[in-house]
Amino acid sequence: MSVALGITRPPLVRTVPVHHPEDLIARLPQAPPYAWVHQGEGLVAWGEAARVAVPPGAGRFDWARRWLGTVFGEAHIDDDVHVPGSGPVAFGSFTFDPDAAGSVLVVPRVVLGRRNGRAWLTTVGEAPIDLMAPATPPGRVVYGDGTLTAPEWQHAVARAVKEIRSGRLEKVVLARDLVATAERDIDPRVLLDRLARAYPDCYTFSCAGLVGATPELLVRHTGESIESLVLAGTTYRGATPAGDRAQGAALFASPKDRHEHACAVASVREALTPLCATLSVPDEPELLVLPNVQHLASRVRGRLADGASVLDVVAAMHPTAAVGGTPTAVALEVIRELEGMDRGGYAGPVGWIDARGDGEWGIALRCAQIEGRRARLFAGCGIMGGSDPESELTEAQAKFRVMRQALEG
Ligand SMILES: C=C(O[C@@H]1C=C(C(=O)O)C=C[C@H]1O)C(=O)O
């Protein structure tokens, strides 16, 4: 298998400490960016030392792990920093649907990292000369329907409710897409900068044209510890602090949202139990308050039993019922039947892995696939037997707001 592009073999990977970059995203040159940034820390990267299209199918995560084993195994690694994310890393985006094409892994040539007060720079092979051209905003943006119009999508939600009431399944997450066309080519760096400023508590990501700020951490793997932030159940922000608290309290007390959340937590517990020596799952969710919406959230923590890498954990978890449904297989059938679209990387795992197997992966939500002047935006909602199509459409609009604001500024 030939994997390395344009680098001397075996590639020399060098990580050195550097002065703190104030703003990781501002350091991205004019090249397709890779990013994973949360509260100012994380990784930004550019250039391609190696890239692979991961073949679709049930074994795709295993295939990816073997490919990474070859690429990282060949490298001479000279790492003076030794933290998760130092040394060589790969960024990846996997399609939601295991049978869809479009999953990709990239080992960038240059990675700039920042974590717990330390910063580092990793280069693979010869460091390229980077063009620091400033990013230009995309200008005026117009929107059009994606696969389904709003009324068609509401109809799909109503059909899902019927399927749930008939007993075919318990929960299904239905999404829709919107197509945005900008005046000029969309520079993902502009979106990353706006997203990271507006949503510092989310994970601002970029990989192979998929750009967004997701609140949902699928898994963070640090040594033997893993952590996941499970989200499901959504309400709005109130206009006043009191209104805000009332919305949050109503969400917390809503049997429909609590049930929807419980489905997501159960799917995560079920996926992680076989991998973990210890696993702690809170009895009750907490509220995650974001600028656009509030979610029910459960922080799950565990210790791995035997040396699984972050991709092994991703493989076991995806798709959780936060983006698929319950039971998973039936939910996937219903999604294919009712959405009528290929989700691409939306609602799939996105993140990074290093040569130790550490890494951070999110569920790619509040995102868009960018190509030239066009962006395809995605948003979805958990549908239960008590769901109302109109409210679900309003919820999806609130979720679209993240990327609309990033595009419009
Ligand atoms: C599916 C999305 O979000 C998911 C669905 C949620 C819900 O229905 O309450 C909440 C958080 C996410 O797990 C999305 O943002 O597109």
Side-chain angles (χ1 to χ4, degrees):
M1 181 169 33
S2 171
V3 289
L5 299 176
I7 48 175
T8 50
R9 283 174 171 279
L12 175 64
V13 180
R14 195 178 279 126
T15 297
V16 294
V18 292
H19 284 297
H20 247 207
E22 275 312 309
D23 180 346
L24 285 173
I25 289 164
R27 299 303 180 105
L28 284 164
Q30 192 178 32
Y34 300 90
W36 177 269
V37 176
H38 176 239
Q39 293 173 342
E41 299 208 328
L43 304 176
V44 293
W46 57 96
E48 282 180 17
R51 179 189 185 107
V52 74
V54 179
R60 61 194 179 140
F61 293 108
D62 271 348
W63 192 98
R65 196 169 34 95
R66 283 198 303 277
W67 184 82
L68 287 168
T70 310
V71 175
F72 290 156
E74 276 179 351
H76 281 298
I77 302 173
D78 181 1
D79 178 358
D80 292 342
V81 176
H82 283 287
V83 294
S86 69
V89 300
F91 277 78
S93 159
F94 287 85
T95 54
F96 171 79
D97 187 330
D99 294 333
S103 301
V104 63
L105 285 172
V106 175
V107 179
R109 261 178 194 276
V110 185
V111 182
L112 182 61
R114 179 175 165 172
R115 179 191 174 91
N116 295 338
R118 300 179 73 180
W120 64 92
L121 183 76
T122 300
T123 48
V124 181
E126 293 296 312
I129 297 164
D130 304 315
L131 297 173
M132 287 305 298
T136 313
R140 210 167 62 86
V141 184
V142 292
Y143 296 90
D145 285 326
T147 312
L148 300 182
T149 62
E152 284 166 349
W153 189 75
Q154 282 177 284
H155 183 67
V157 171
R159 282 180 57 196
V161 168
K162 266 200 201 129
E163 296 287 355
I164 293 167
R165 289 189 183 160
S166 78
R168 184 174 168 203
L169 76 172
E170 200 175 337
K171 169 182 178 177
V172 63
V173 179
L174 285 188
R176 65 185 291 251
D177 57 342
L178 284 183
V179 177
T181 309
E183 225 175 306
R184 288 184 284 278
D185 278 356
I186 301 166
D187 187 327
R189 295 178 298 167
V190 173
L191 309 184
L192 292 172
D193 178 60
R194 289 173 177 167
L195 290 168
R197 284 178 202 283
Y199 294 87
D201 295 333
C202 292
Y203 299 87
T204 294
F205 63 86
S206 173
C207 182
L210 189 67
V211 176
T214 182
E216 191 145 4
L217 179 68
L218 182 61
V219 58
R220 171 182 293 130
H221 177 296
T222 317
E224 286 172 356
S225 303
I226 56 166
E227 183 183 336
S228 177
L229 184 65
V230 185
L231 306 180
T234 304
T235 191
Y236 307 102
R237 296 297 310 269
T240 60
D244 221 19
R245 281 193 298 277
Q247 288 282 1
L251 177 67
F252 204 77
S254 146
K256 178 237 172 207
D257 288 286
R258 291 294 286 266
H259 183 192
E260 186 180 333
H261 188 76
C263 286
V265 171
S267 73
V268 167
R269 184 201 294 272
E270 199 179 306
L272 292 180
T273 299
L275 293 177
C276 287
T278 61
L279 186 66
S280 103
V281 180
D283 295 333
E284 285 219 316
E286 52 189 275
L287 271 184
L288 176 71
V289 181
L290 297 170
N292 58 330
V293 290
Q294 314 188 41
H295 292 305
L296 294 178
S298 292
R299 201 170 289 280
V300 173
R301 291 193 167 89
R303 285 196 89 71
L304 290 167
D306 54 10
S309 78
V310 71
L311 262 191
D312 298 317
V313 183
V314 167
M317 294 178 83
H318 178 75
T320 74
V323 282
T326 309
T328 306
V330 184
L332 294 186
E333 270 172 34
V334 172
I335 288 169
R336 285 185 188 130
E337 281 166 28
L338 297 184
E339 276 183 2
M341 68 170 179
D342 178 357
R343 289 185 174 191
Y346 161 73
V350 64
W352 62 269
I353 177 170
D354 69 16
R356 290 166 285 260
D358 284 332
E360 294 174 290
W361 290 73
I363 301 179
L365 304 173
R366 325 290 148 88
C367 63
Q369 185 70 42
I370 310 296
E371 211 183 322
R373 293 194 300 127
R374 275 166 51 110
R376 191 168 161 228
L377 285 64
F378 299 88
C381 305
I383 310 302
M384 305 295 290
S387 288
D388 163 43
E390 201 176 319
S391 319
E392 300 298 344
L393 183 70
T394 313
E395 183 177 320
Q397 313 289 29
K399 290 170 174 169
F400 276 128
R401 205 149 68 224
V402 175
M403 284 313 297
R404 290 181 69 136
Q405 284 172 347
L407 284 162
E408 292 161 24

mmCIF file of all heavy atoms in Angstrom, residues 173 216 231-234 260 295 322-323 346 365-366 378-382 395 399, ligand 1:
data_model
loop_
_atom_site.group_PDB
_atom_site.id
_atom_site.type_symbol
_atom_site.label_atom_id
_atom_site.label_comp_id
_atom_site.label_asym_id
_atom_site.label_seq_id
_atom_site.Cartn_x
_atom_site.Cartn_y
_atom_site.Cartn_z
ATOM 1 N N VAL A 173 -33.187 10.136 14.504
ATOM 2 C CA VAL A 173 -32.735 11.508 14.276
ATOM 3 C C VAL A 173 -32.843 11.809 12.787
ATOM 4 O O VAL A 173 -32.251 11.113 11.958
ATOM 5 C CB VAL A 173 -31.286 11.704 14.767
ATOM 6 C CG1 VAL A 173 -30.808 13.134 14.496
ATOM 7 C CG2 VAL A 173 -31.200 11.386 16.257
ATOM 8 N N GLU A 216 -20.746 18.396 20.628
ATOM 9 C CA GLU A 216 -20.819 17.003 21.067
ATOM 10 C C GLU A 216 -19.485 16.283 20.900
ATOM 11 O O GLU A 216 -19.059 15.965 19.784
ATOM 12 C CB GLU A 216 -21.933 16.266 20.304
ATOM 13 C CG GLU A 216 -22.229 14.896 20.900
ATOM 14 C CD GLU A 216 -23.690 14.491 20.824
ATOM 15 O OE1 GLU A 216 -24.495 15.243 20.240
ATOM 16 O OE2 GLU A 216 -24.023 13.422 21.359
ATOM 17 N N LEU A 231 -25.114 14.406 24.130
ATOM 18 C CA LEU A 231 -26.150 15.438 24.059
ATOM 19 C C LEU A 231 -27.396 14.896 23.373
ATOM 20 O O LEU A 231 -27.285 14.165 22.394
ATOM 21 C CB LEU A 231 -25.663 16.644 23.249
ATOM 22 C CG LEU A 231 -24.360 17.304 23.669
ATOM 23 C CD1 LEU A 231 -24.045 18.469 22.738
ATOM 24 C CD2 LEU A 231 -24.430 17.783 25.105
ATOM 25 N N ALA A 232 -28.534 15.258 23.865
ATOM 26 C CA ALA A 232 -29.815 14.987 23.189
ATOM 27 C C ALA A 232 -30.885 15.636 24.037
ATOM 28 O O ALA A 232 -30.841 15.520 25.274
ATOM 29 C CB ALA A 232 -30.083 13.495 23.041
ATOM 30 N N GLY A 233 -31.815 16.297 23.387
ATOM 31 C CA GLY A 233 -32.827 17.103 24.091
ATOM 32 C C GLY A 233 -32.394 18.554 23.984
ATOM 33 O O GLY A 233 -31.306 18.905 24.427
ATOM 34 N N THR A 234 -33.248 19.356 23.343
ATOM 35 C CA THR A 234 -32.854 20.725 22.998
ATOM 36 C C THR A 234 -33.983 21.694 23.276
ATOM 37 O O THR A 234 -35.154 21.376 23.029
ATOM 38 C CB THR A 234 -32.517 20.784 21.479
ATOM 39 O OG1 THR A 234 -31.519 19.818 21.214
ATOM 40 C CG2 THR A 234 -32.020 22.158 21.046
ATOM 41 N N GLU A 260 -35.603 11.015 25.162
ATOM 42 C CA GLU A 260 -34.721 11.163 24.005
ATOM 43 C C GLU A 260 -33.248 11.129 24.467
ATOM 44 O O GLU A 260 -32.395 10.487 23.844
ATOM 45 C CB GLU A 260 -35.052 12.519 23.360
ATOM 46 C CG GLU A 260 -34.370 12.801 22.077
ATOM 47 C CD GLU A 260 -34.782 14.193 21.533
ATOM 48 O OE1 GLU A 260 -35.897 14.677 21.837
ATOM 49 O OE2 GLU A 260 -33.963 14.784 20.820
ATOM 50 N N HIS A 295 -28.940 22.297 25.681
ATOM 51 C CA HIS A 295 -29.084 20.845 25.510
ATOM 52 C C HIS A 295 -29.058 20.138 26.862
ATOM 53 O O HIS A 295 -28.374 20.591 27.782
ATOM 54 C CB HIS A 295 -27.903 20.269 24.723
ATOM 55 C CG HIS A 295 -27.829 20.679 23.293
ATOM 56 N ND1 HIS A 295 -28.857 20.493 22.408
ATOM 57 C CD2 HIS A 295 -26.819 21.241 22.578
ATOM 58 C CE1 HIS A 295 -28.485 20.924 21.214
ATOM 59 N NE2 HIS A 295 -27.254 21.395 21.290
ATOM 60 N N ALA A 322 -27.641 9.710 19.609
ATOM 61 C CA ALA A 322 -27.770 11.167 19.497
ATOM 62 C C ALA A 322 -27.898 11.581 18.045
ATOM 63 O O ALA A 322 -28.424 12.654 17.741
ATOM 64 C CB ALA A 322 -26.559 11.855 20.134
ATOM 65 N N VAL A 323 -27.396 10.741 17.118
ATOM 66 C CA VAL A 323 -27.473 11.083 15.689
ATOM 67 C C VAL A 323 -28.084 9.981 14.822
ATOM 68 O O VAL A 323 -28.353 10.194 13.642
ATOM 69 C CB VAL A 323 -26.076 11.462 15.127
ATOM 70 C CG1 VAL A 323 -25.728 12.880 15.550
ATOM 71 C CG2 VAL A 323 -25.001 10.484 15.537
ATOM 72 N N TYR A 346 -21.489 14.833 7.733
ATOM 73 C CA TYR A 346 -22.365 15.353 8.804
ATOM 74 C C TYR A 346 -22.822 14.193 9.693
ATOM 75 O O TYR A 346 -23.194 13.123 9.196
ATOM 76 C CB TYR A 346 -23.590 16.053 8.192
ATOM 77 C CG TYR A 346 -24.727 16.188 9.177
ATOM 78 C CD1 TYR A 346 -24.655 17.105 10.219
ATOM 79 C CD2 TYR A 346 -25.839 15.361 9.102
ATOM 80 C CE1 TYR A 346 -25.676 17.201 11.162
ATOM 81 C CE2 TYR A 346 -26.865 15.435 10.027
ATOM 82 C CZ TYR A 346 -26.771 16.369 11.063
ATOM 83 O OH TYR A 346 -27.769 16.438 11.998
ATOM 84 N N LEU A 365 -21.495 18.006 13.933
ATOM 85 C CA LEU A 365 -22.776 18.713 13.922
ATOM 86 C C LEU A 365 -22.494 20.196 13.721
ATOM 87 O O LEU A 365 -21.356 20.633 13.863
ATOM 88 C CB LEU A 365 -23.482 18.535 15.268
ATOM 89 C CG LEU A 365 -23.718 17.098 15.723
ATOM 90 C CD1 LEU A 365 -24.257 17.089 17.147
ATOM 91 C CD2 LEU A 365 -24.659 16.382 14.783
ATOM 92 N N ARG A 366 -23.554 20.974 13.493
ATOM 93 C CA ARG A 366 -23.442 22.439 13.321
ATOM 94 C C ARG A 366 -22.318 22.721 12.327
ATOM 95 O O ARG A 366 -21.357 23.427 12.632
ATOM 96 C CB ARG A 366 -23.196 23.159 14.662
ATOM 97 C CG ARG A 366 -23.897 22.527 15.862
ATOM 98 C CD ARG A 366 -25.419 22.677 15.858
ATOM 99 N NE ARG A 366 -26.076 21.547 16.485
ATOM 100 C CZ ARG A 366 -26.357 21.411 17.773
ATOM 101 N NH1 ARG A 366 -26.067 22.389 18.599
ATOM 102 N NH2 ARG A 366 -26.967 20.336 18.230
ATOM 103 N N PHE A 378 -26.007 21.388 7.336
ATOM 104 C CA PHE A 378 -26.832 20.279 7.833
ATOM 105 C C PHE A 378 -27.332 20.574 9.248
ATOM 106 O O PHE A 378 -26.599 21.146 10.054
ATOM 107 C CB PHE A 378 -26.010 18.997 7.916
ATOM 108 C CG PHE A 378 -25.456 18.524 6.605
ATOM 109 C CD1 PHE A 378 -24.223 18.982 6.156
ATOM 110 C CD2 PHE A 378 -26.172 17.635 5.817
ATOM 111 C CE1 PHE A 378 -23.705 18.548 4.956
ATOM 112 C CE2 PHE A 378 -25.658 17.199 4.612
ATOM 113 C CZ PHE A 378 -24.422 17.651 4.174
ATOM 114 N N ALA A 379 -28.540 20.117 9.548
ATOM 115 C CA ALA A 379 -29.022 20.156 10.934
ATOM 116 C C ALA A 379 -30.101 19.101 11.099
ATOM 117 O O ALA A 379 -30.879 18.847 10.163
ATOM 118 C CB ALA A 379 -29.574 21.529 11.283
ATOM 119 N N GLY A 380 -30.126 18.501 12.275
ATOM 120 C CA GLY A 380 -31.116 17.456 12.516
ATOM 121 C C GLY A 380 -31.648 17.503 13.930
ATOM 122 O O GLY A 380 -31.153 18.240 14.786
ATOM 123 N N CYS A 381 -32.667 16.676 14.175
ATOM 124 C CA CYS A 381 -33.335 16.654 15.474
ATOM 125 C C CYS A 381 -33.732 15.225 15.821
ATOM 126 O O CYS A 381 -34.146 14.465 14.935
ATOM 127 C CB CYS A 381 -34.639 17.453 15.418
ATOM 128 S SG CYS A 381 -34.434 19.122 14.853
ATOM 129 N N GLY A 382 -33.676 14.921 17.102
ATOM 130 C CA GLY A 382 -34.152 13.627 17.578
ATOM 131 C C GLY A 382 -35.669 13.608 17.543
ATOM 132 O O GLY A 382 -36.336 14.489 18.098
ATOM 133 N N GLU A 395 -36.464 23.897 15.650
ATOM 134 C CA GLU A 395 -35.221 23.476 16.316
ATOM 135 C C GLU A 395 -34.083 23.341 15.297
ATOM 136 O O GLU A 395 -32.946 23.768 15.553
ATOM 137 C CB GLU A 395 -35.464 22.150 17.045
ATOM 138 C CG GLU A 395 -34.251 21.672 17.814
ATOM 139 C CD GLU A 395 -34.528 20.385 18.595
ATOM 140 O OE1 GLU A 395 -35.626 20.244 19.181
ATOM 141 O OE2 GLU A 395 -33.646 19.518 18.605
ATOM 142 N N LYS A 399 -30.361 25.325 14.952
ATOM 143 C CA LYS A 399 -29.064 24.647 14.789
ATOM 144 C C LYS A 399 -28.335 25.141 13.527
ATOM 145 O O LYS A 399 -27.116 25.227 13.512
ATOM 146 C CB LYS A 399 -29.278 23.133 14.768
ATOM 147 C CG LYS A 399 -29.689 22.597 16.145
ATOM 148 C CD LYS A 399 -30.141 21.161 16.079
ATOM 149 C CE LYS A 399 -30.407 20.601 17.469
ATOM 150 N NZ LYS A 399 -31.097 19.311 17.435
HETATM 151 C C1 LIG B 1 -28.565 16.200 15.152
HETATM 152 C C2 LIG B 1 -28.110 17.312 15.721
HETATM 153 O O1 LIG B 1 -27.951 17.440 17.068
HETATM 154 C C3 LIG B 1 -28.194 16.354 17.940
HETATM 155 C C4 LIG B 1 -29.615 16.298 18.308
HETATM 156 C C5 LIG B 1 -30.091 16.909 19.458
HETATM 157 C C6 LIG B 1 -31.571 16.930 19.755
HETATM 158 O O2 LIG B 1 -32.356 16.483 18.909
HETATM 159 O O3 LIG B 1 -31.980 17.418 20.812
HETATM 160 C C7 LIG B 1 -29.204 17.514 20.359
HETATM 161 C C8 LIG B 1 -27.867 17.433 20.173
HETATM 162 C C9 LIG B 1 -27.291 16.565 19.144
HETATM 163 O O4 LIG B 1 -27.010 15.323 19.684
HETATM 164 C C10 LIG B 1 -27.677 18.481 14.899
HETATM 165 O O5 LIG B 1 -27.198 19.461 15.475
HETATM 166 O O6 LIG B 1 -27.789 18.422 13.661
#
